[in-house]
Amino acid sequence: MREETDMQLTGSQIVIECLKEQGVDTVFGYPGGAILNIYDELYKHPEIRHILTSHEQGASHAADGYARATRKIGVCLATSGPGATNLVTGIATAYMDSVPIVAITANVGTSYLGKDSFQEVDITGITTPITKYSSIVKNVEDLADTIRRAFVIAKSGRPGPVLVDIPKDVTAAACDFTGKEPEQTAPDSHLDDRSLAKAVEMINAAKRPYLMVGGGAAISGAQKEVIELAHRIQAPVCDTLMGKGTFPGTDDQYMGMLGMHGTKGANLLISKCDLLIVLGARFSDRDVGSPKTFARQAKILQIDIDPAEVNKNVVVTASVSGDMKEVLDRILPEISEKSNPDWTDEMHAKQKLINDYVPEDRLSAQFVIRKIYEITEGKAIICTDVGQHQMWAAQYYKFTEPRTFLTSGGLGTMGYGLGAAIGAKCGRPDKTVINIAGDGCFRMNMNELATAVRSNIPVIEVVINNHVLGMVRQWQNLFYGQRYSSTVLNDKVDFVKVAEALGAEGVRITKTEEFGPALQKAIADQKPVVLDCIIDPDDKVSPMIPAGKPNDEIYDQKDMENWHK
Ligand SMILES: Cc1ncc(C[n+]2csc(CCOP(=O)(O)OP(=O)(O)O)c2C)c(N)n1
Ligand SMILES: [Mg+2]
């Protein structure tokens, strides 16, 4: 037990003590007037590493990347008003993907609240819909327990972001402070025996079981159990974008990703299985185009920690609410081994439909991503931005470990990746961390390259540069009569010079043979590097299920080439 201390501390000192109590070693943030007292304390506590980002959005994405990569809680700090609002996109990103972060903002003094004071904003009001809990602390006596509660709420149950707003006078006021051991959050162990028994019965009765693995399985740390279940019942396995890495992409039973840009095989099996076992996935519209026809021949068993997810997007046959690892630990002893040769044959036949098209005559995203996989032997942490490059990353890199694919799945936040990569590298310095960025996305938050350089965080930014907002342009090509409204980034921005101007290294890659050596050098150099990979603006992500269509209405590369003929 830590020795209890009872002493008078200021609000700012309490913030620092509470962070230390929680074992926080790194925070990401940006100072300003209202938060000056807290920054003054940080100055005196070098044991907490503060990473000064270029923009508060970068700080929130870095806290998120740190949390996703480490399974710890990410912390970001911002001042009042615009500092706080700049965090909002990162908080919403974390909320949509169930990432535990604690955002600490300072506000104007309590006597200035509600008066449109300089840099005053009601950040708790703004963030209430995108946090698990958001609160302003008006008395210094309440501060320590509010921060402690923030950490408990962020990581308990379905994780997510929490915001604590502290008026400036509260950061200066003093009160007694007594240190406490951090509260341990155990998974909710009130599992319902009847739903567990029903789950076992359904799994044991299935002839054509199919597993759909979502982000919840990784959050719960249930990789071993998921693999064991799949192997025991010889079920093919697909995953969602958020689920990547829990079930190894190299396994013989792996079908690839489900959904709009998933594999043909993964999507077609949805209509063939007789039991779909859904492990920590929320049936996003990107996975389920048409809820009515989804898994039309199957019973659906949904296991999720959040009861609110059950029957929300797709009506299921049965469900178990609880922590994934705990649920699987309880049911696995009762699950019998099974195999159905017809179903195994169908699985292997559908696996052959995987899209492994790589243009041979020129540099392409597909080539680059496959090369990243080969060179890093699948052991890197891959972050992405949002767009075509994100889908290609999901398709062409085989993920074998949870927490190695950091991507904004729910909110689809362009500009997420570089900040997330900085956070991930701070949390996992042992790993090669690569952000696969789009050229549009890179423009959004490229300023964080300066952060990586200043703080000596060797992240590798691979820009898939098609000179267009490719994903939006792909939709314009297919569904809007090739009217490319505002998606062609015709300008003179030179990413190599941008990289150099921000203190990083930049290399332009135009030929396939240049990429491998450049990546190997970047990994060896241990410095922030931008690899600007020039690809064709017309390359498309395939296969594709048009929005709202059933999972078996899936078009491949050839179909898309002939779309306008
Ligand atoms: C902040 C934000 N604004 C707009 C969008 C809509 N959007 C989704 S993908 C995309 C294009 C991204 O372009 P780029 O970064 O070049 O990636 P590419 O698709 O070309 O690989 C846009 C504009 C978004 N997801 N996020
Ligand atoms: Mg682009």
Side-chain angles (χ1 to χ4, degrees):
M1 276 294 277
R2 181 181 303 208
E3 203 175 299
E4 294 209 341
T5 46
D6 202 346
M7 50 191 164
Q8 282 263 314
L9 295 186
T10 65
S12 302
Q13 290 169 329
I14 289 171
V15 170
I16 303 294
E17 286 307 314
C18 287
L19 292 179
K20 283 168 48 183
E21 254 177 33
Q22 300 292 330
V24 173
D25 52 15
T26 312
V27 297
F28 306 89
Y30 206 90
I35 203 166
L36 263 169
N37 290 326
I38 295 179
Y39 270 80
D40 195 44
E41 268 325 299
L42 269 175
Y43 187 82
K44 300 172 197 159
H45 288 273
E47 68 274 24
I48 298 181
R49 185 182 187 199
H50 177 266
I51 305 291
L52 173 66
T53 54
S54 298
H55 186 292
E56 290 85 352
Q57 185 182 349
S60 55
H61 292 326
D64 168 313
Y66 178 94
R68 292 194 208 215
T70 60
R71 220 173 165 215
K72 296 196 274 187
I73 293 177
V75 178
C76 55
L77 304 179
T79 195
S80 67
T85 56
N86 275 350
L87 293 178
V88 168
T89 300
I91 294 173
T93 303
Y95 186 69
M96 292 290 276
D97 290 345
S98 308
V99 181
I101 64 173
V102 170
I104 296 175
T105 52
N107 212 326
V108 298
T110 44
S111 63
Y112 294 91
L113 287 170
K115 297 184 176 170
D116 290 344
S117 306
F118 178 64
Q119 295 193 325
E120 180 193 358
V121 87
D122 174 11
I123 194 62
T124 54
I126 290 171
T127 55
T128 295
I130 51 163
T131 49
K132 289 180 78 180
Y133 180 64
S134 184
S135 114
I136 181 164
V137 184
K138 293 191 179 160
N139 294 305
V140 69
E141 286 81 10
D142 299 331
L143 183 57
D145 282 343
T146 306
I147 295 175
R148 289 168 183 145
R149 197 158 61 243
F151 277 83
V152 172
I153 294 172
K155 70 181 167 187
S156 57
R158 178 181 185 163
V162 176
L163 183 133
V164 179
D165 193 28
I166 316 170
K168 187 169 185 179
D169 54 329
V170 176
T171 67
C175 71
D176 284 345
F177 174 82
T178 309
K180 268 194 195 161
E181 282 291 311
E183 205 175 304
Q184 294 305 321
T185 51
D188 178 7
S189 47
H190 304 295
L191 293 177
D192 174 40
D193 289 338
R194 275 209 323 232
S195 26
L196 290 170
K198 173 85 183 153
V200 169
E201 183 196 311
M202 287 170 81
I203 298 172
N204 283 340
K207 299 254 177 317
R208 300 187 308 278
Y210 189 21
L211 260 56
M212 171 176 164
V213 182
I219 291 172
S220 158
Q223 182 181 41
K224 191 172 122 285
E225 291 75 9
V226 170
I227 296 172
E228 194 176 331
L229 174 64
H231 288 171
R232 180 146 350 145
I233 63 173
Q234 288 294 297
V237 180
C238 67
D239 51 19
T240 68
L241 188 72
M242 296 307 298
K244 288 212 148 282
T246 294
F247 191 76
T250 47
D251 193 286
D252 191 42
Q253 286 168 227
Y254 184 59
M255 299 302 301
M257 185 170 72
L258 185 68
M260 183 175 277
H261 293 297
T263 62
K264 253 191 164 171
N267 281 297
L268 293 179
L269 277 195
I270 286 287
S271 310
K272 303 271 180 194
C273 60
D274 71 348
L275 175 67
L276 183 66
I277 306 167
V278 184
L279 304 171
R282 61 188 174 85
F283 298 107
S284 140
D285 55 88
R286 286 305 187 253
D287 296 317
V288 178
S290 153
K292 282 213 182 84
T293 56
F294 185 72
R296 48 170 86 84
Q297 298 194 37
K299 292 181 174 163
I300 303 180
L301 169 66
Q302 183 178 9
I303 304 176
D304 205 287
I305 196 158
D306 185 355
E309 286 301 342
V310 176
N311 294 329
K312 187 175 87 178
N313 295 339
V314 167
V315 177
V316 300
T317 319
S319 64
V320 183
S321 297
D323 173 71
M324 184 65 56
K325 185 171 160 48
E326 206 181 325
V327 171
L328 294 181
D329 277 340
R330 285 281 297 276
I331 65 172
L332 269 168
E334 324 238 344
I335 304 289
S336 342
E337 288 198 11
K338 72 167 92 198
S339 73
N340 171 353
D342 289 346
W343 187 227
T344 306
D345 287 350
E346 176 121 37
M347 171 178 88
H348 288 312
K350 294 283 184 294
Q351 279 169 335
K352 296 208 176 83
L353 301 176
I354 194 150
N355 172 28
D356 51 7
Y357 165 78
V358 178
E360 274 167 16
D361 50 339
R362 59 192 163 81
L363 188 68
S364 65
Q366 294 91 331
F367 174 88
V368 165
I369 292 159
R370 182 153 298 174
K371 203 69 189 168
I372 295 175
Y373 173 69
E374 284 166 16
I375 288 176
T376 61
E377 297 171 344
K379 297 201 172 84
I381 290 179
I382 302 294
C383 305
T384 76
D385 281 307
V386 171
Q388 290 181 311
H389 60 280
Q390 176 190 31
M391 294 298 119
W392 282 317
Q395 293 176 335
Y396 286 80
Y397 190 100
K398 292 192 187 109
F399 294 90
T400 53
E401 281 172 54
R403 305 187 172 276
T404 56
F405 185 49
L406 279 45
T407 194
S408 169
L411 198 66
T413 306
M414 285 177 73
Y416 165 79
L418 182 53
I422 288 172
K425 185 72 186 173
C426 288
R428 292 297 308 270
D430 54 314
K431 287 267 190 190
T432 296
V433 179
I434 299 175
N435 181 38
I436 299 178
D439 50 319
C441 293
F442 181 58
R443 286 159 195 262
M444 285 214 170
N445 287 329
M446 54 165 76
N447 49 8
E448 298 307 343
L449 214 49
T451 306
V453 173
R454 184 194 313 104
S455 298
N456 221 348
I457 304 165
V459 292
I460 300 170
E461 176 89 349
V462 175
V463 183
I464 304 296
N465 190 351
N466 49 11
H467 293 101
V468 290
L469 301 176
M471 187 53 98
V472 181
R473 189 173 178 276
Q474 173 163 340
W475 284 50
Q476 291 171 333
N477 177 284
L478 297 173
F479 311 116
Y480 286 83
Q482 295 162 305
R483 293 182 298 279
Y484 298 129
S485 177
S486 299
T487 49
V488 181
L489 304 171
N490 258 339
D491 57 28
K492 298 212 158 98
V493 180
D494 180 332
F495 291 158
V496 172
K497 285 192 183 150
V498 167
E500 286 165 4
L502 293 168
E505 212 165 282
V507 186
R508 178 147 310 115
I509 313 282
T510 58
K511 299 193 187 79
T512 49
E513 61 271 23
E514 293 167 351
F515 183 73
L519 179 62
Q520 268 155 340
K521 182 171 181 315
I523 293 171
D525 282 356
Q526 293 287 307
K527 280 189 278 185
V529 179
V530 175
L531 303 179
D532 180 26
C533 304
I534 311 298
I535 68 153
D536 191 306
D538 285 321
D539 279 349
K540 291 192 186 54
V541 179
S542 68
M544 179 172 190
I545 303 170
K549 298 290 184 198
N551 289 61
D552 33 20
E553 197 177 319
I554 183 162
Y555 297 91
D556 61 20
Q557 185 73 23
K558 277 270 165 299
D559 301 324
M560 285 163 125
E561 279 165 17
N562 296 323
W563 208 288
H564 300 294
K565 288 185 186 151

